[in-house]
């Protein structure tokens, strides 16, 4: 290797030197020779880049005095260099290759334009290229639209560039506003398969999560046929798998964006069955991944599609095959070693007539070192590739299970009863791949909506243990789903509630409530609310101690209404059963009454105020706690105001406060009744006893009876 390097560098230097020859014809031949030298040779590409070939090629490409043939050959070489490593592409970007190639598109020569587009396509599809570079100059997109009519190659490359560079809603908007839908729709009927395919991919990224584009697509006509009908034809089994999958994506995204109904035949009878077919074991691994993930997205919000999918082609049991691929490099290596041993035995048997054993050994021993290194690298790449697919398969299966089990109890039961299902989820929670962990947590969250499974399978497999581990220092996206799952495991009928409490969940959940992420604050407080429901005094005290009074009241003034609602729910659950109410109000009464006043006076929605009045009703049910209401004229006036409010929910909630305060079997009831009479409550009760709402009428009559009992 060491002796080869100076030779390679010297030969590379020769190629670069020829680019500076004063004879244009010799320069052209030099570029052509360079083109032939770099094809499939990454080492040569890297050497030429290091030796400064790129700036010279770009100079020649932009020179007005350069012939069109020379410019074209320069673009071809640059395109070949960009097909090398990511470092090659970075070097090209550093030399400002994109502006130079975009400038080249202004040429009149179609061969040069195609060479520039081909190179742009390769550069833009590299993961190291910022797609924003396509949108920097506002004149680029309109010009690319004009070039679509020039040739089949220009159509293929431009659609590929659009499909890859459309990564965000603002990209979709820019392309849509420049007429991309109208300009590429007719390409779906092109004679070239590559053009049809790239146009189809372009539509799939345009329609994703975009109602505006999707509503337009549904009405587009191409040769007298609506676009969805063309997509459906592309789903047919005789079409290439790539085309079937991408057409299914287009229809899926249009359906999710609301432009096609979920009960439309093109979804139920065409798209969904096509995607289920893609999950079968006779498909390539990447096709199975894409099929499962797209199907998961299609059925996610619709229970009927979930039911149809669950009984199509034994889908639930079919997904079990997704877990049959090893999740570690060592396991894959062992399988490959076993497979290669078998293969070599077969090869020896097949070749005995031609080569004897000594020849085989000699051939192996004299195998060049560089080729052996390449072979090692190839095996290493193959291991990474297989491991990536093993992770992606499990991720896709978990996602699809999560969507299938999102709503229907029978489907959840079928999923959990699948062989080793709970073990797979538990293992998935501790995977090295963050994406697999997230998908496993999503699956667990979906299944945790089942009361029956919370009481059985979840308890049998102690899923709370790995879930609590996941919650330690996980990324936010995993934390959000994991904490949502924990909320379900903390419901009062869940056997997991007790061990979760004992494992230090209070501290963990309290820490979530101070997160900057509103979803985590909601989930933290929601889980504490579930924990406090019908809990004993110790748990309630632990929650108040862990949360701190300051944090509790910070949450009561949170700008996110969901956080506020769950905090009120927590407070309501803490203030239940008389001894607990009296104990908590004796230590936190002043602050709680201030918070109640603050919320009832604020610009909050009906649900928030109703929940706050329910808290007051709970306080009014305390033995000593009710004095905090009776000695607070401001609160009494608010109860009076809301019992006479125009909203029935608020009236009923305020009525519960009055009922608890006037109950005549309790000590001090006479004084409380008199005070309420003084402020005009009895008069309002008489009016409400004539209410057309039977519930409100009954409550008013019951409260009045306390006065006359």
């Amino acid at each position: 290797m060491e002796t080869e390097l100076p030779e390679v560098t010297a030969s590379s230097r020769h190629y670069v030197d020829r680019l500076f020859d004063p004879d244009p014809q010799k320069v052209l031949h030099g570029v052509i020779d360079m083109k032939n030298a770099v094809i499939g040779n990454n080492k040569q590409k890297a050497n030429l880049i290091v030796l400064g070939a790129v700036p010279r090629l770009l100079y020649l490409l932009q020179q007005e005095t350069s012939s069109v043939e020379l410019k074209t050959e320069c673009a071809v070489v640059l395109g070949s260099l960009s097909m090398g490593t990511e470092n090659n592409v970075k070097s090209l970007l550093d030399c400002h290759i994109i502006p130079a190639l975009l400038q080249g598109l202004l040429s009149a020569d179609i061969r040069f334009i195609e060479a520039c587009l081909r190179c742009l396509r390769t550069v833009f599809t590299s993961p190291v290229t910022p797609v924003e570079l396509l949108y920097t100059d506002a004149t680029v997109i309109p010009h690319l639209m004009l070039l679509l009519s020039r040739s089949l190659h220009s159509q293929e490359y431009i659609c590929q560039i659009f499909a890859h560079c459309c990564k965000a809603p603002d990209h979709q908007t820019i392309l849509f506003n420049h007429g991309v839908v109208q300009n590429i729709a007719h390409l779906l009927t092109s004679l070239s398969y590559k053009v049809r395919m790239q146009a189809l991919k372009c539509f799939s990224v345009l329609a994703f999560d975009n109602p505006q584009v999707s509503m337009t697509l549904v009405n587009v006509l191409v040769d007298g046929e609506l676009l969805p009908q063309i997509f459906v034809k592309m789903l047919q089994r005789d079409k290439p798998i790539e085309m079937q999958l991408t057409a299914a994506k287009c229809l899926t995204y249009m359906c999710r964006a609301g432009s096609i109904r979920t009960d439309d035949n093109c979804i139920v009878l065409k798209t969904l069955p096509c995607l289920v077919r893609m999950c079968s074991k006779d498909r390539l691994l990447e096709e199975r991944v894409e099929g499962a993930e797209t199907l998961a997205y299609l059925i996610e919000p619709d229970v009927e599609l979930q039911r149809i999918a669950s009984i199509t082609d034994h889908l639930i049991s079919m997904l079990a095959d997704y877990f049959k691929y090893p999740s570690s490099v060592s396991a894959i290596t062992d399988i490959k070693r076993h497979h290669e041993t078998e293969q070599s035995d077969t090869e020896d048997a097949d070749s005995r007539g031609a080569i004897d054993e000594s020849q085989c050994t000699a051939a192996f021993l004299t195998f060049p070192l560089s080729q052996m290194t390449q072979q090692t690298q190839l095996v290493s790449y193959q291991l990474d590739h297989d491991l990536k697919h093993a992770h992606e398969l499990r991720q896709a299966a978990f996602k699809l299970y999560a969507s299938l089990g999102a709503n229907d109890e029978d489907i959840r039961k079928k999923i959990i009863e699948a062989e080793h299902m709970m073990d797979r989820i538990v293992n998935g929670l501790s995977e090295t791949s963050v994406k697999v962990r997230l998908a496993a947590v999503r699956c667990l969250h979906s299944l945790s909506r089942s009361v029956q499974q919370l009481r059985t399978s979840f308890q049998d497999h102690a899923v709370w243990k790995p879930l609590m581990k996941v919650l330690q220092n996980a990324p936010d996206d995993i934390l959000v789903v994991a904490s949502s799952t924990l909320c379900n495991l903390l419901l009062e009928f869940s056997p997991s509630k007790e061990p979760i409490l004992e494992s230090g969940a209070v501290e963990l959940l309290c820490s979530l409530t101070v997160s900057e992420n509103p979803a985590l604050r909601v989930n933290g407080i929601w889980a504490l609310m579930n924990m406090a429901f019908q809990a004993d005094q110790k748990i309630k005290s632990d929650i108040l101690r862990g949360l701190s009074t300051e944090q509790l009241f910070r949450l009561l003034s949170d700008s996110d209404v969901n956080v506020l609602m769950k905090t009120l729910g927590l407070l309501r659950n803490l203030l239940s059963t008389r001894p607990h109410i009296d104990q908590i109000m004796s230590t936190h009464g002043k602050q709680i009454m201030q918070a109640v006043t603050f919320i009832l006076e604020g610009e909050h929605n009906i649900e928030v105020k109703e929940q706050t009045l329910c808290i007051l009703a709970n306080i009014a049910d305390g033995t000593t706690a009710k004095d905090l209401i009776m000695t607070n004229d401001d609160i009494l006036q608010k109860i009076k105001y809301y019992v006479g409010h125009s909203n029935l929910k608020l009236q009923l909630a305020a009525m519960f406060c009055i009922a608890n305060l006037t109950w005549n079997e309790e000590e001090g009831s006479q004084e409380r009744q008199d005070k309420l009479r003084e402020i005009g409550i009895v008069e309002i009760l008489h009016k409400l006893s004539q209410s057309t709402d039977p519930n409100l009428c009954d409550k008013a009559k019951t409260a009045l009876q306390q006065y006359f009992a």
Side-chain angles (χ1 to χ4, degrees), residues 332-390:
I332 292 176
T333 311
D334 290 342
I335 287 172
K336 283 188 174 293
R337 195 177 293 122
H338 175 67
H339 172 69
E340 283 162 6
T341 306
E342 287 181 343
Q343 195 176 43
S344 64
D345 288 346
T346 311
E347 285 168 358
D348 287 347
D350 290 346
S351 58
R352 270 172 197 153
I355 305 172
D356 66 27
E357 200 172 314
S358 61
Q359 286 176 303
C360 286
T361 309
F364 177 75
L365 288 173
T366 56
F367 203 73
L369 183 61
S370 60
Q371 288 184 41
M372 285 178 69
T373 307
Q374 285 175 353
Q375 193 176 50
T376 306
Q377 288 173 342
L378 192 64
V379 170
S380 174
Y381 169 78
Q382 190 61 44
L383 286 175
D384 289 344
H385 182 264
D386 290 354
L387 191 57
K388 176 174 173 280
H389 277 308

Side-chain angles (χ1 to χ4, degrees), residues 164-211:
H164 191 81
C165 294
C166 188
K167 300 282 189 190
D170 54 331
H171 300 155
Q172 292 173 322
T173 303
I174 292 167
L175 292 172
F176 180 79
N177 290 343
H178 280 102
V180 70
V181 172
Q182 294 73 19
N183 279 296
I184 68 170
H186 70 282
L187 302 183
L188 291 169
T189 56
S190 169
L191 294 174
S192 163
Y193 171 75
K194 287 183 177 178
V195 171
R196 291 200 304 278
M197 209 44 244
Q198 293 307 330
L200 190 60
K201 286 180 179 177
C202 203
F203 277 123
S204 77
V205 295
L206 284 166
F208 179 69
D209 202 19
N210 194 313

Side-chain angles (χ1 to χ4, degrees), residues 205-405:
V205 295
L206 284 166
F208 179 69
D209 202 19
N210 194 313
Q212 183 190 24
V213 173
S214 295
M215 293 307 289
T216 303
L217 292 185
V218 85
N219 296 312
V220 171
L221 278 170
V222 180
D223 296 343
E225 265 189 310
L226 287 168
L227 220 49
Q229 293 170 329
I230 292 173
F231 293 151
V232 167
K233 282 185 176 177
M234 290 175 164
L235 296 175
Q236 291 170 0
R237 290 170 188 254
D238 61 338
K239 296 290 187 288
I241 295 299
E242 178 190 32
M243 181 173 277
Q244 290 183 49
L245 254 175
T246 313
K249 277 186 174 181
C250 290
L251 291 162
T252 293
Y253 298 159
M254 289 169 71
C255 178
R256 282 298 306 267
S259 66
I260 300 176
R261 287 167 54 98
T262 54
D263 59 358
D264 192 296
N265 282 348
C266 77
I267 298 297
V268 177
L269 303 179
K270 301 291 183 182
T271 309
L272 187 148
C274 171
L275 290 170
V276 173
R277 279 202 310 275
M278 296 303 143
C279 298
S280 67
K281 64 171 88 173
D282 58 343
R283 297 266 54 88
L284 295 175
L285 299 187
E286 48 264 52
E287 292 164 358
R288 294 169 76 183
V289 168
E290 212 172 332
E293 293 207 335
T294 308
L295 182 57
Y297 184 67
L298 173 65
I299 68 174
E300 187 181 21
D302 190 90
V303 65
E304 197 49 45
L305 288 180
Q306 290 157 13
R307 285 175 184 146
I308 294 166
S310 72
I311 57 169
T312 303
D313 291 350
H314 309 288
L315 178 63
I316 290 173
S317 56
M318 192 193 295
L319 288 176
D321 282 330
Y322 280 53
F323 296 92
K324 290 184 178 172
Y325 295 85
S327 58
S328 68
V329 172
S330 58
I332 292 176
T333 311
D334 290 342
I335 287 172
K336 283 188 174 293
R337 195 177 293 122
H338 175 67
H339 172 69
E340 283 162 6
T341 306
E342 287 181 343
Q343 195 176 43
S344 64
D345 288 346
T346 311
E347 285 168 358
D348 287 347
D350 290 346
S351 58
R352 270 172 197 153
I355 305 172
D356 66 27
E357 200 172 314
S358 61
Q359 286 176 303
C360 286
T361 309
F364 177 75
L365 288 173
T366 56
F367 203 73
L369 183 61
S370 60
Q371 288 184 41
M372 285 178 69
T373 307
Q374 285 175 353
Q375 193 176 50
T376 306
Q377 288 173 342
L378 192 64
V379 170
S380 174
Y381 169 78
Q382 190 61 44
L383 286 175
D384 289 344
H385 182 264
D386 290 354
L387 191 57
K388 176 174 173 280
H389 277 308
H391 285 152
E392 286 180 348
L393 281 163
R394 286 196 298 285
Q395 180 190 343
F398 282 137
K399 280 185 182 176
L400 186 43
Y401 278 135
S403 287
L404 283 165

Side-chain angles (χ1 to χ4, degrees), residues 659 662-665 670 673 701-709:
T662 56
W663 200 251
N664 60 20
E665 291 177 9
Q670 188 61 54
Q673 287 177 7
K701 285 177 179 176
T702 303
L704 282 170
Q705 282 168 9
Q706 302 307 306
Y707 278 86
F708 306 115

Side-chain angles (χ1 to χ4, degrees), residues 376-644:
T376 306
Q377 288 173 342
L378 192 64
V379 170
S380 174
Y381 169 78
Q382 190 61 44
L383 286 175
D384 289 344
H385 182 264
D386 290 354
L387 191 57
K388 176 174 173 280
H389 277 308
H391 285 152
E392 286 180 348
L393 281 163
R394 286 196 298 285
Q395 180 190 343
F398 282 137
K399 280 185 182 176
L400 186 43
Y401 278 135
S403 287
L404 283 165
N407 297 289
D408 190 284
E409 186 65 23
D410 290 337
I411 298 175
R412 288 188 199 118
K413 190 168 182 286
K414 281 183 191 172
I415 292 170
I416 286 174
E417 286 174 354
E419 194 179 3
H420 307 306
M421 188 62 211
M422 291 307 291
D423 292 331
R424 284 174 182 144
I425 294 173
V426 168
N427 292 337
L429 295 176
S430 55
E431 285 256 10
T432 52
S433 164
V434 174
K435 288 181 177 179
V436 177
R437 282 210 309 277
L438 176 58
V441 174
R442 281 200 173 127
C443 182
L444 190 65
H445 179 236
S446 179
L447 299 175
S448 73
R449 296 180 182 131
S450 163
V451 175
Q452 177 64 27
Q453 302 310 328
L454 283 175
R455 286 177 171 156
T456 54
S457 303
F458 276 52
Q459 184 62 10
D460 295 342
H461 291 81
V463 295
W464 64 269
K465 288 182 182 177
L467 186 66
M468 289 296 286
K469 266 190 191 170
V470 167
L471 284 160
Q472 311 292 333
N473 304 316
D476 269 15
D477 50 358
I478 290 182
L479 269 180
V480 168
V481 190
S483 54
S484 288
T485 311
L486 197 63
C487 287
N488 292 343
L489 266 63
L490 285 167
L491 290 165
E492 80 280 5
F493 49 76
S494 168
S496 304
K497 183 174 181 176
E498 199 65 38
I500 290 171
L501 285 170
E502 290 167 6
S503 70
V506 173
E507 187 182 345
L508 187 145
L509 294 171
C510 289
S511 71
L512 291 182
T513 69
V514 297
S515 169
E516 290 183 9
N517 186 329
L520 287 177
R521 292 203 302 278
V522 169
N523 287 349
I525 206 74
W526 194 340
L528 290 170
M529 181 185 86
N530 288 350
M531 194 184 280
F533 183 75
Q534 294 182 352
D536 59 35
Q537 182 64 51
K538 183 190 177 300
I539 292 169
K540 290 181 178 181
S541 298
D542 287 346
I543 292 171
L544 279 169
R545 198 179 305 111
L547 203 54
S548 83
T549 313
E550 294 76 16
Q551 177 58 10
L552 180 64
F553 296 112
R554 216 175 284 130
L555 292 165
L556 286 170
S557 55
D558 200 289
S559 57
D560 189 300
V561 70
N562 294 317
V563 174
L564 174 56
M565 279 296 285
K566 296 304 173 196
T567 308
L568 290 169
L570 168 63
L571 205 48
R572 190 174 168 184
N573 286 350
L574 291 171
L575 294 166
S576 61
T577 73
R578 284 185 182 173
H580 298 174
I581 295 167
D582 291 335
Q583 199 276 327
I584 290 170
M585 291 306 289
S586 69
T587 54
H588 298 84
K590 187 182 174 185
Q591 298 98 317
I592 289 172
M593 295 307 285
Q594 282 175 349
V596 165
T597 306
F598 177 72
I599 292 168
L600 291 177
E601 286 177 351
E603 294 293 319
H604 294 288
N605 63 35
I606 298 296
E607 286 70 26
V608 167
K609 294 198 172 184
E610 179 192 19
Q611 188 81 294
T612 308
L613 287 166
C614 288
I615 289 169
L616 266 185
N618 282 15
I619 295 168
D621 192 40
T623 303
T624 57
K626 53 168 56 84
D627 293 341
L628 288 162
I629 296 176
M630 294 310 300
T631 55
N632 190 324
D633 291 338
D634 191 17
I635 286 289
L636 289 173
Q637 286 299 324
K638 282 176 171 51
I639 293 171
K640 178 186 174 182
Y641 168 75
Y642 283 109
V643 82

